[in-house]
Amino acid sequence: MPEVADDDGVPPPAPTGDELLKVLSALGNPHRMRIVAALMESRNYVSALAREIGMGRPLLHMHLQRLEAAGLVVGTLELAEDGKAMKYFEVTAFFYELTPHAIAQAATTITETADRTAKEEVK
């Protein structure tokens, strides 16, 4: 999960290789980058966000799931005035520093499962 510096200004621990791959994979899609950008303006629920971005709800939901799994957005269920459950999404606070050193350090912690998943995504 992405982390930001704590109240004392201490930076978060470096992400593992698996975490970094999940984040980079989630952001490696232009639709998901647009979703993050739209949610930076304000939190939103799926139907309204789909209209704003110009994307069908099923496809948007799939992209939101990827972003949520990577810890970049969070969804919460809320009841509307009419009693209907609505899932609102918002961007989480995150910070990743991509340097050759950070990537080399993360690469040493990649698990076989993450390596296999990355290869399957390339197919």
Side-chain angles (χ1 to χ4, degrees):
M1 169 149 349
E3 296 182 38
V4 294
D6 64 19
D7 293 337
D8 296 329
V10 176
T16 67
D18 296 354
E19 291 167 344
L20 190 57
L21 283 172
K22 190 177 277 191
V23 167
L24 292 174
S25 175
L27 291 174
N29 179 289
H31 295 301
R32 290 193 282 270
M33 289 181 70
R34 286 188 200 95
I35 292 166
V36 170
L39 291 173
M40 284 295 301
E41 299 295 320
S42 66
R43 71 188 197 106
N44 214 337
Y45 61 98
V46 175
S47 294
L49 186 58
R51 284 190 298 274
E52 180 182 334
I53 294 175
M55 178 182 295
R57 286 188 322 219
L59 182 58
L60 175 61
H61 198 281
M62 185 271 307
H63 286 303
L64 286 166
Q65 285 178 324
R66 280 291 290 278
L67 290 167
E68 195 170 26
L72 302 173
V73 302
V74 64
T76 54
L77 277 176
E78 297 181 20
L79 288 178
E81 289 180 15
D82 63 1
K84 183 178 176 184
M86 300 172 68
K87 191 163 186 179
Y88 280 84
F89 285 89
E90 61 188 311
V91 175
T92 62
F94 63 87
F95 175 82
Y96 289 94
E97 185 173 33
L98 291 178
T99 64
H101 177 73
I103 292 170
Q105 183 179 355
T108 65
T109 65
I110 296 172
T111 64
E112 185 177 315
T113 304
D115 204 21
R116 195 169 44 244
T117 303
K119 287 178 185 173
E120 290 168 359
E121 286 182 6
V122 171
K123 291 182 182 178

